[in-house]
């Protein structure tokens, strides 16, 4: 997999979402959900800060139904900073 460095351009996306009132738990939930949905598929190339934390896309991803909890059973990427 790819590793994204904590450079300004990547951090700015995350900081912007936090300034909008999202929590680190919200951010991790979106990452976990998208990893479960996209790893091993064509969409895997979109597992990057500019896609996951883009203002419009993040709001869409965060609003996706995760109430069933099913996606959590298939989470492949886990945050190393739990």
């Amino acid at each position: 997999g790819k590793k994204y460095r904590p450079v300004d351009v990547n951090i700015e996306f995350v900081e912007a979402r936090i300034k909008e009132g999202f929590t680190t738990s919200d951010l991790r939930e979106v990452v976990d959900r998208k990893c479960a949905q996209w790893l091993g598929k064509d969409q895997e190339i979109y597992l990057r800060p500019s896609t996951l934390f883009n203002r419009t896309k993040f709001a869409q991803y965060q609003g996706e139904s995760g109430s069933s909890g099913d996606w959590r059973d298939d989470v492949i990427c886990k945050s190393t900073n739990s």
Side-chain angles (χ1 to χ4, degrees), residues 4-49:
Y4 290 92
R5 294 177 169 202
V7 296
D8 288 346
V9 70
N10 292 334
I11 292 170
E12 288 170 4
F13 285 110
V14 173
E15 287 177 339
R17 299 305 69 84
I18 290 171
K19 285 180 183 176
E20 290 175 350
F22 293 104
T23 66
T24 56
S25 293
D26 294 331
L27 302 176
R28 287 181 180 148
E29 183 176 317
V30 166
V31 170
D32 286 347
R33 182 180 299 127
K34 290 300 153 191
C35 284
Q37 292 174 348
W38 293 351
L39 273 176
K41 298 180 177 136
D42 291 342
Q43 296 94 330
E44 185 172 348
I45 63 171
Y46 301 113
L47 291 172
R48 57 185 181 221

